[in-house]
Amino acid sequence: MTATTTAAPDVTGRESVESFRLRAREWIPANLRRLADLPAEEEGTGPMAHDEAAWQRARALQRKIYEGGFAGICYPREYGGLGLTPEHQRAFNEEAAGYEMPMLLNVPTFTICGPTILDMGSEEQKREHLAAAIRGDEVLVQFLSEPDSGSDLAGATTRAERDGDVFILNGSKTWSSGAYAADYALCLARTDWDAPKHRGLTMFLMKVHQPGVHVERIKQVNGGDEFCQEFFDDVVVPASAVVGEVGGGWAVASRQLFHERNAVGGGSPYFSGVRTARSRGPQVDTLIDLANRTGRADDPYARELIAEAHALGVIHRHLVERVASGTRTEKMPPTAGSLIRLFHGESATRQAEIALELAGPTAAMSASDGPDTREVGVSYLFRQAAQLGGGSTEMARNIISERILGMPREHATDRDVPFNQVRRGR
Ligand SMILES: Cc1cc2nc3c(=O)[nH]c(=O)nc-3n(C[C@H](O)[C@H](O)[C@H](O)COP(=O)(O)OP(=O)(O)OC[C@H]3O[C@@H](n4cnc5c(N)ncnc54)[C@H](O)[C@@H]3O)c2cc1C
């Protein structure tokens, strides 16, 4: 079914936000399912939200939204998007609240990898990969962390050696969210071992499933297995897959981290849909429901906890808006995304703790034992992910102190030393 309302342009020749909102208001209920109507196995929360079927549903849903004319709202038209503004995206998100959206595709495909390709990729990479992702045909993933370099990303030791028109990759990447279901990865590898560590890196936009790549899924404490480790054994990658310059991988990675901080903190203009309880910690409605189900709605301490969670949510929203406008108007440096990244890590963890306090021992119960609050217990087990994914909160504090507050840089013995002379290993 397609929308019948016509697009009304504003003075810039773009469709006005109000007209766009009205079209979305008409199209969404006619084409998307209400979250409340989804069968339990398709609800999209909990550790199993990342199974193969969920990825297939997300791709199909993205295609439907694309065909309906609401995909890639802030991406340029020449790369398959709509070329509209964050205000259009916000209007769409508000209208889509309560409806099923392809949330799995937001991070990292649309909010991190896509914008990085947009900023740093070749014309061919932009035309091919952005358009494919917006159509729902391509899922992107990040190959940054390695078993021995997570926070110290510039210490990557995955090796890429030039051989004529191709590079040969060897090494290993890890903690890649959803790699098993992805098509292409932004992969940081070392191409020059004589250069200091930040200058010998190159970013590749490589195929995930190809000869020489072995993807292994990692079982997590909460029962999920969306994380993967990849092993590269003489993987052939064409030179046309280089993003930016050979040896210029750190500039690309820095841009990627900028988008990642915004995405993780909740400030990306490319995020489509309403962020789920799982990604931001339990929301206030969920906590009120929890207090009702556990018979604690009148307990003053429980009410205080819910008020604290509410305050965290309000501050988060305002912080996101403040940093987004600060970086857009260049009143704040691009690294200011670390402020929202840090706040998100702290508040999501606190919200998971609050939910556990409200649920008490019932967090370990299944429905047959009493109120079904298992999701609270499972989310609590995974709470520290919010402090690590997208760069740890400690690293965010380092960035804030050094790049925003202008405090002295952390001492590094390896900064200007050729990488092959840097002492490595545990
Ligand atoms: C939910 C989630 C999704 C993720 N998705 C991806 C992905 O898709 N692709 C990908 O490549 N990676 C991904 N990661 C990995 C993530 O980027 C790393 O976990 C993170 O960068 C930390 O690296 P590490 O785990 O190796 O910890 P380490 O770097 O070993 O750090 C261990 C601890 O030491 C602290 N520390 C380290 N160095 C410093 C320092 N200089 N100053 C102060 N403290 C320091 C860290 O803050 C941390 O607490 C994901 C992680 C999570 C939790």
Side-chain angles (χ1 to χ4, degrees):
M1 204 163 171
T2 49
T4 48
T5 314
T6 49
D10 65 9
V11 283
T12 63
R14 264 195 217 116
E15 181 178 7
S16 71
V17 174
E18 223 20 63
S19 151
F20 187 72
R21 179 192 289 280
L22 291 177
R23 283 200 305 118
R25 188 170 294 170
E26 191 173 338
W27 186 84
I28 290 169
N31 290 279
L32 303 181
R33 295 184 296 176
R34 290 192 63 82
L35 287 174
D37 299 336
L38 295 185
E41 67 277 13
E42 291 186 26
E43 272 176 10
T45 58
M48 306 326 277
H50 284 255
D51 64 12
E52 309 249 2
W55 283 101
Q56 289 311 325
R57 280 199 304 278
R59 286 178 188 252
L61 205 47
Q62 179 65 25
R63 174 161 282 278
K64 194 174 203 182
I65 292 168
Y66 169 74
E67 286 167 354
F70 293 99
I73 292 172
C74 291
Y75 279 95
R77 298 180 75 87
E78 59 269 39
Y79 306 129
L82 301 182
L84 296 173
T85 67
E87 287 69 37
H88 290 82
Q89 181 68 66
R90 200 168 312 135
F92 180 80
N93 292 352
E94 283 164 10
E95 297 302 323
Y99 289 88
E100 184 189 25
M101 287 288 294
M103 303 304 278
L104 283 176
L105 303 181
N106 275 317
V107 183
T109 299
F110 288 126
T111 54
I112 306 176
C113 299
T116 306
I117 295 168
L118 189 60
D119 294 344
M120 311 297 282
S122 67
E123 195 55 27
E124 193 188 332
Q125 286 164 346
K126 290 189 242 188
R127 286 190 190 282
E128 186 184 334
H129 297 282
L130 297 180
I134 291 167
R135 285 195 309 270
D137 289 341
E138 207 166 285
V139 173
L140 303 164
V141 66
Q142 307 194 81
F143 284 173
L144 297 175
S145 306
E146 297 187 358
D148 282 328
S149 66
S151 302
D152 181 23
L153 195 58
T157 56
T158 290
R159 177 183 289 272
E161 283 169 326
R162 183 124 204 186
D163 183 7
D165 287 344
V166 299
F167 285 82
I168 312 292
L169 266 64
N170 283 285
S172 181
K173 294 285 172 180
T174 193
W175 307 127
S176 339
S177 312
Y180 73 95
D183 303 287
Y184 278 83
L186 281 171
C187 177
L188 189 64
R190 190 161 301 281
T191 40
D192 185 350
W193 294 69
D194 296 322
K197 73 176 185 181
H198 293 86
R199 281 180 251 152
L201 297 163
T202 301
M203 189 70 79
F204 296 90
L205 184 51
M206 65 177 283
K207 249 190 178 146
V208 174
H209 302 285
Q210 60 166 312
V213 180
H214 174 66
V215 180
E216 210 158 90
R217 293 174 73 170
I218 302 171
K219 190 83 176 166
Q220 298 154 208
V221 67
N222 66 351
D225 58 357
E226 80 251 29
F227 286 129
C228 299
Q229 179 164 5
E230 300 77 30
F231 300 90
F232 304 144
D233 188 8
D234 287 337
V235 181
V236 179
V237 176
S240 60
V242 170
V243 181
E245 305 288 324
V246 173
W250 188 246
V252 183
S254 300
R255 199 62 196 156
Q256 195 168 336
L257 295 178
F258 163 78
H259 289 300
E260 183 171 49
R261 285 191 290 266
N262 276 337
V264 171
S268 172
Y270 301 100
F271 196 101
S272 199
V274 178
R275 291 166 76 82
T276 60
R278 186 165 181 254
S279 63
R280 286 182 72 168
Q283 304 296 280
V284 170
D285 289 354
T286 317
L287 296 177
I288 294 172
D289 180 46
L290 193 55
N292 282 324
R293 278 192 289 150
T294 53
R296 297 189 62 193
D298 292 327
D299 172 352
Y301 181 56
R303 296 166 78 92
E304 203 176 291
L305 289 174
I306 293 170
E308 182 188 346
H310 176 66
L312 287 172
V314 172
I315 295 168
H316 190 236
R317 257 197 327 279
H318 287 291
L319 187 65
V320 165
E321 276 166 28
R322 176 130 194 256
V323 171
S325 84
T327 49
R328 205 171 40 245
T329 54
E330 296 183 7
K331 290 191 175 130
M332 289 183 178
T335 43
S338 293
L339 295 165
I340 48 177
R341 189 273 165 272
L342 173 60
F343 190 83
H344 162 74
E346 296 290 328
S347 74
T349 310
R350 180 66 191 135
Q351 310 246 26
E353 286 166 0
I354 288 174
L356 190 82
E357 277 203 63
L358 288 172
T362 68
M365 280 182 178
S366 63
S368 58
D369 309 322
D372 191 3
T373 50
R374 277 169 306 174
E375 178 61 24
V376 172
V378 172
S379 297
Y380 182 77
L381 290 177
F382 203 59
R383 72 197 181 286
Q384 279 152 329
Q387 307 254 8
L388 284 167
S392 70
T393 45
E394 286 90 351
M395 296 309 282
R397 286 192 163 89
N398 285 352
I399 295 168
I400 292 166
S401 62
E402 294 175 10
R403 312 279 176 81
I404 302 178
L405 301 177
M407 291 166 76
R409 288 195 74 172
E410 187 180 8
H411 177 68
T413 51
D414 57 3
R415 195 157 285 143
D416 293 314
V417 181
F419 194 72
N420 54 18
Q421 290 174 29
V422 172
R423 287 186 61 190
R424 289 190 301 278
R426 292 167 195 273

